[in-house]
Amino acid sequence: MNFEFSEEQQMLADMVDRFVADRYAFETRQKIMAGDGGWSRENWSALAELGLLGLPFAEEDGGFGGGGVETMIIMTALGRGLVIEPYLSTVVMAGAALRNAASQEQRAARIPAIIAGSHIMSLAHQEPAMPRHSFDVATTARRAGEGWRLDGCKISVPHGAGADELIVSAQTEAGMALFLVPTKLSGVDVVRATGYDGTPLATMTLADVALPGDALLGEPGQGEAILARVFEETNAALVAEAVGAMRETFDLTTEYLKTRTQFDVPIGSFQALRHRAVDMLIELELSHSMAILAALSLDLPGDQRRKNISAAKVQVGRSGRMIGQEAVQMHGAIGITSEYKVGHAFKRLTAIDALLGDADHHIDLIADADGLAA
Amino acid sequence: MDLDFTAEELAFRDEVRSFFREALPDDLRAKMIERRHLEKDDIVRWQRILNARGWAVPNWPVEYGGQAWSPAQRYIYQEEMALAHAPEGSPFNINMIGPIIARFGTDAQKDRFLARIANLDDWWCQGFSEPGAGSDLAALKTRATRDGDDYVINGQKIWTTQAQHADWMFALVRTDSSGRKQQGITFLLLDMKTPGITVRPIETIDGGHDANEVFFDDVRVPVENRIGEEGRGWDYAKALLGGERSGIARIGLSKERLIQLRALERDLAERGMLTGRERDRLRRKLAEVEVELRALELTQLRVVAADAHGAHAGHAASILKIKGTEIQQRMTELVLELAGPAGLATDAQAQANTAGEGWVEAAAPFYFTMRKVSIFGGANEIQRNIVAKSILGF
Ligand SMILES: Cc1cc2nc3c(=O)[nH]c(=O)nc-3n(C[C@H](O)[C@H](O)[C@H](O)COP(=O)(O)OP(=O)(O)OC[C@H]3O[C@@H](n4cnc5c(N)ncnc54)[C@H](O)[C@@H]3O)c2cc1C
């Protein structure tokens, strides 16, 4: 049992913390959000220069071979800064699909470019008429000679608008499959939307899009299994990001309790608020523990891995809502203004619960499996 | 980072586990599983079995019979004890007065008391709370006046658990009221057979009689039975209440209860006593509490690991106590819900109704009595005050 970072991990943590502290002051973030594309290519290059974009990729693909703990470290720091660059979309989510399912050629054509910061990717899975958190996509992929033809519509694609290439889930005759779709192809239409949490989103329509044979990731029918794994890795990362956002929220709130005065005393002297701040801390610590569990579960056998990550997503969903709401409440009106960081952290925490299965969804998975024990 | 116990820790766990499996008498295990009341003799018997193994008082200093265990080993010991359905023993003897005498007692007091405390030859009770002094313990008024080589005590204690069984009481009394209320408190050891002591039982909402009022009417206590210096009792009491951190959240107990709850739920469903909808609902509730319990367990392990490094997160014990007691109480709600209307009768007739399923008639008393865990040992509101002060600095 060891909860300490290794020396390298500590250096990594210091490095990302410094990146966030130097480059991601709240005012800077607001400017980036309002700017072109909604995120900063300059910051992205800086992340590439630090080597952070290559972290979870295998050394043979040009990466650093980092595991769950390394991703947790990065995501926690990015969560603290409410960083909106496409780390989760490109490196974690699309990266997981490439790591788990792509051929040597497919990886060689993309991973070095991702690591260099010149290739933005994301995953396009959600659809307008689909039951939430399911694999039941209506997008179709038909065989056409050596290649494929895709038709369908995808929504809420994170960072879809700025992406060079999207991984698209579609039904084939042999079951669901994943396809690598460059966004510039004819028949692909990507319309930008903006998430309430500041994440640039996209709606993507595919109208008879022609793809070559090597656009297929894995085999037809393997899409579900690949996506399940991708979602596990992404959820472990999301949970860590949430812990960062919660810690920032908690720190801002306790600072406010110390400095805001009403009735001639700091509002932190009111017991009603003091006790609620303690409850926020308890939720934060429980979530932190579960982020560690999720990060360390990625290499466990399937059943235990899934359950642990679900449990972490449950904890973070519940705690994130509580901490976000309480932080806003204890700030009073300033808490609901766009000019103040707490509201933005609250929104990101809200979005994290909605992504890839909310707390209730994951509770059902655990309940159906008769609990967390193996 | 990793969550695995070391090979030595695993070997230790196996050793503890097989010892508990073999050494715990069957009748005791059965009582524990059904949450039936333990008699004094049950607890004494078990304590002596542990003592013979050298494990009665592992947290004491080694020279007085303790074990030089790591925080992880202590954690494992506690968890295995709970999973084996073994009783915890008397906290008053093991966690409170023993360590206090070992740390602050005279040589004569150590010789006289420690071995008997460990073997439960003497049963101790805690005389701190008074009608006017609960959370604000320093407001206590029971007076001790010096008369030659004795103190003469007059006043009243309340909520004294198992005073009816006790051979000895450790008590806080007031020897001086002139200064701050934390000053002028003295820590005394009282022989419960001393003339002038009256014990009166208080019935609690579970129907039990473990709580008592204790009255003192000119009770004479020799000065040699004082711990440390006169007027410094508050310091010793604080050391005592600071107590044990590794087991405060009672994770093992809650784990054991969760296993039992799942087994009961399955059994009831198989016998057609739960509708599909009830079953779904229960399973979701069990999943919810299990997630929190897992999160708390890992948080406890983070504290255990930090302790092993000598790092001391000051408010960690309070956080573990708050959440640990909330989870314990949640478990009792779930047992109660499982028992349903069959759990209404809790007297002798109930046993006939439920054909010997002890847990059903024990469910409600268990639920009612477990409300205590967020009240004693520093009420959860007091714990929140402690944490708030630590995070806000005022
Ligand atoms: C089952 C049981 C066994 C016990 N056994 C013993 C024993 O063996 N020996 C012994 O000495 N004592 C014993 N106690 C007493 C126990 O220590 C006290 O109950 C405890 O200290 C609380 O005191 P009180 O009951 O007087 O409640 P009070 O202190 O009157 O508190 C009442 C309520 O007010 C809250 N409150 C009080 N102060 C504050 C504050 N500053 N801020 C916010 N809220 C506050 C409390 O949290 C509680 O909710 C036992 C209690 C129980 C329930």
Side-chain angles (χ1 to χ4, degrees), chain A residues 1-6 9 69 72 247 250 254-255 257-258 266 268-269 271 274-275 277-279 281-290 292-293 296 308 311-312 314-315 318 360 363-364 366-373, chain B residues 1-6 9 72 262 265-266 279-280 283-285 287-292 294-302 304-305 309 315 318-319 322-323 326 380-385 387-394:
Chain A
M1 214 172 55
N2 174 15
F3 293 92
E4 310 266 295
F5 291 148
S6 70
Q9 288 168 343
V69 175
M72 172 180 81
R247 196 167 291 284
F250 175 75
T254 48
E255 196 50 41
L257 291 177
K258 288 186 219 175
S269 57
Q271 195 181 52
R274 294 169 75 84
H275 282 194
V278 173
D279 288 336
L281 176 64
I282 294 175
E283 292 296 318
L284 168 60
E285 292 302 344
L286 296 181
S287 293
H288 183 171
S289 299
M290 292 307 263
I292 295 172
L293 177 69
L296 292 173
N308 286 355
V314 169
Q315 183 66 53
R318 302 269 189 258
D360 282 342
I363 270 297
D364 283 347
I366 296 168
D368 290 347
D370 244 337
L372 292 176
Chain B
M1 276 192 158
D2 70 83
L3 297 176
D4 306 320
F5 286 122
T6 62
E9 285 161 355
R262 281 232 161 79
E265 182 269 324
R266 250 191 316 271
R279 186 155 200 215
D280 279 351
R283 283 156 66 116
R284 258 197 296 276
K285 287 180 181 183
E288 293 274 6
V289 72
E290 185 174 23
V291 168
E292 284 211 311
R294 187 82 176 103
L296 185 69
E297 179 181 26
L298 288 162
T299 306
Q300 164 98 66
L301 289 170
R302 283 167 57 208
V304 167
H309 282 89
H315 55 246
S318 295
I319 287 179
I322 294 168
K323 198 70 210 177
E326 287 177 357
N380 283 15
E381 289 77 13
I382 301 302
Q383 304 294 346
R384 285 187 170 87
N385 289 348
V387 181
K389 187 155 188 214
S390 146
I391 58 183
L392 293 173
F394 59 88

Side-chain angles (χ1 to χ4, degrees), chain A residues 271 275, chain B residues 92 96 125-137 157-163 170 204 210-212 241 369 371-385:
Chain A
Q271 195 181 52
H275 282 194
Chain B
F92 307 109
M96 298 185 191
C125 66
Q126 177 188 26
F128 281 16
S129 304
E130 297 182 6
S135 300
D136 184 11
L137 182 58
K157 296 290 172 183
I158 193 168
W159 314 124
T160 324
T161 301
Q162 288 164 355
F170 55 94
T204 40
D210 265 354
N212 300 275
L241 297 171
T369 189
R371 301 316 299 172
K372 70 191 172 191
V373 295
S374 52
I375 297 172
F376 64 33
N380 283 15
E381 289 77 13
I382 301 302
Q383 304 294 346
R384 285 187 170 87
N385 289 348

